Amino acid sequence: MPELPEVEVTRKTLLKFVENKVIKNLIINNYNLRFKIHSNFKKHVAGQRIVKILRRSKYILFFLQNNYVMISHLGMSGKFLIQNKRSKELLKTSFYYNEFSTKHNHLEFSFSKDLKMIYNDPRRFGFFILEKLDGLSSNKFLKKLGPEPLSQDLKKDYLVERIKKTKRTIKTLLMDQNFISGIGNIYANEILYLAKINPNKMSFKLSASDVCRLYEAIIKVLKRAILLGGSSIKDFYSSEGQKGKFQNEFKVYGRENLKCSRTGCRGSISRVVSLGRASFFCKQCQN
């Protein structure tokens, strides 16, 4: 499933091509995504200008001129494709492009000059819902989300306060979207490695220096991943149609039994599965 960096890269692609464009027409080929698309969806979307595109956690928010907001989640295999009929261009913008098939083109947004934005999703775990602008803060998917990790809303004091009261492992807490928005399994592993914290360590046992390192690692890893266009696990492409490169800098994820890359450490990377999710870490330098 795409995490914050991949969703942010996708958003930047969409900004480049469809922000401030008018949706001339919308074809819905399949209403049955994770949640059934409402019968009034097209009525409120077609003919509207996309005035801005933001990201909240792993959601992409399209703000429309009529004060509606189209909320999209990519699920496990959702992707946006940008198509220009005149140039026959098909720009890859999201996860799992290698699974592309036109039979999974569920929504087709048409703009002027033969420009199209296509939502393709083989597994159909993604979704589109429409929310009024004045109801956005109370939307059930958004209202309980934790602070954005790359915004000023995430503060060290917040981490200290929440962590010391939590009787869960620190990796489980990092992946809780109500605690911090946008971090999933891949980046939780990489963040904890950089912070030298064992993913199975109970949160309330973290020291002040642990939390300080964690705070810095969250920002550093996510910024670096966005800069490199995300992680290409299954042909994820950046906003310029290039594969993400952050996977080339993985320190632990997918590196089971390989030597730890930290200078001076003689440990190797272990893999432990808990609650269906794999944790990768070095027992030697993560404690």
Side-chain angles (χ1 to χ4, degrees):
M1 182 178 290
E3 301 181 30
L4 185 154
E6 290 75 41
V7 177
E8 181 63 15
V9 169
T10 298
R11 184 189 74 89
K12 288 183 175 181
T13 299
L14 299 177
L15 275 178
K16 178 178 178 180
F17 287 94
V18 304
E19 188 181 48
N20 209 33
K21 298 285 197 306
V22 174
I23 302 168
K24 297 291 186 180
N25 191 29
L26 168 60
I27 297 174
I28 303 175
N29 297 314
N30 190 346
Y31 283 80
N32 298 309
L33 300 183
R34 178 178 169 187
F35 306 114
K36 189 176 180 67
I37 296 175
H38 196 277
S39 57
N40 286 333
F41 188 87
K42 180 175 179 177
K43 173 185 175 182
H44 294 299
V45 172
Q48 297 301 315
R49 183 182 301 276
I50 299 174
V51 296
K52 63 180 176 180
I53 306 172
L54 301 180
R55 178 194 53 77
R56 182 71 172 100
S57 184
K58 302 175 187 179
Y59 301 93
I60 298 176
L61 280 58
F62 300 81
F63 290 77
L64 305 178
Q65 193 173 17
N66 61 356
N67 289 324
Y68 275 90
V69 182
M70 186 167 60
I71 302 172
S72 174
H73 192 282
L74 299 174
M76 296 183 69
S77 62
K79 68 188 73 63
F80 284 101
L81 306 170
I82 301 297
Q83 186 176 53
N84 187 322
K85 288 184 179 179
R86 292 179 180 176
S87 64
K88 303 298 182 183
E89 177 185 16
L90 188 61
L91 181 64
K92 308 163 272 279
T93 70
S94 198
F95 265 179
Y96 309 119
Y97 184 75
N98 59 333
E99 296 180 15
F100 172 73
S101 170
T102 56
K103 71 179 181 180
H104 301 303
N105 288 351
H106 304 309
L107 291 90
E108 301 181 27
F109 301 82
S110 297
F111 304 88
S112 60
K113 298 182 180 180
D114 295 323
L115 179 68
K116 274 190 176 183
M117 178 177 74
I118 300 168
Y119 180 72
N120 180 286
D121 189 350
R123 299 188 184 185
R124 294 187 295 166
F125 288 153
F127 64 81
F128 282 81
I129 62 170
L130 209 56
E131 181 66 80
K132 290 183 178 180
L133 182 61
D134 58 10
L136 203 60
S137 61
S138 59
N139 178 271
K140 67 178 182 179
F141 297 107
L142 306 178
K143 66 180 180 180
K144 293 184 179 180
L145 289 173
E148 286 288 327
L150 296 180
S151 76
Q152 294 186 359
D153 293 336
L154 182 64
K155 303 181 185 301
K156 288 183 185 178
D157 290 346
Y158 168 81
L159 291 182
V160 170
E161 184 67 21
R162 288 292 302 272
I163 285 173
K164 71 180 182 181
K165 293 181 178 179
T166 305
K167 294 183 178 180
R168 287 187 287 171
T169 66
I170 185 57
K171 181 164 178 273
T172 301
L173 185 60
L174 270 184
M175 294 172 61
D176 182 348
Q177 301 304 296
N178 296 333
F179 172 62
I180 298 178
S181 294
I183 299 175
N185 195 45
I186 292 174
Y187 293 102
N189 279 290
E190 293 298 312
I191 287 166
L192 290 169
Y193 175 80
L194 184 61
K196 298 182 180 180
I197 299 171
N198 189 301
N200 296 315
K201 189 170 185 176
M202 298 303 292
S203 297
F204 68 89
K205 292 185 177 181
L206 266 62
S207 66
S209 60
D210 287 337
V211 176
C212 185
R213 293 196 310 273
L214 179 64
Y215 175 79
E216 293 171 354
I218 289 169
I219 296 171
K220 185 173 182 178
V221 168
L222 295 179
K223 281 188 173 180
R224 181 66 176 167
I226 293 171
L227 180 66
L228 294 180
S231 299
S232 289
I233 306 302
K234 285 192 177 182
D235 290 344
F236 173 80
Y237 282 73
S238 76
S239 58
E240 299 302 322
Q242 302 295 320
K243 283 188 176 183
K245 297 178 181 178
F246 188 72
Q247 74 281 357
N248 299 327
E249 298 192 4
F250 283 170
K251 303 301 183 185
V252 288
Y253 187 82
R255 300 189 75 247
E256 181 182 4
N257 297 324
L258 295 179
K259 186 180 182 298
C260 177
S261 61
R262 202 185 307 273
T263 302
C265 181
R266 296 184 178 182
S268 60
I269 307 305
S270 298
R271 178 180 183 270
V272 175
V273 177
S274 177
L275 300 175
R277 307 307 295 269
S279 292
F280 298 89
F281 60 99
C282 175
K283 292 181 179 178
Q284 186 80 14
C285 62
Q286 287 178 259
N287 47 56

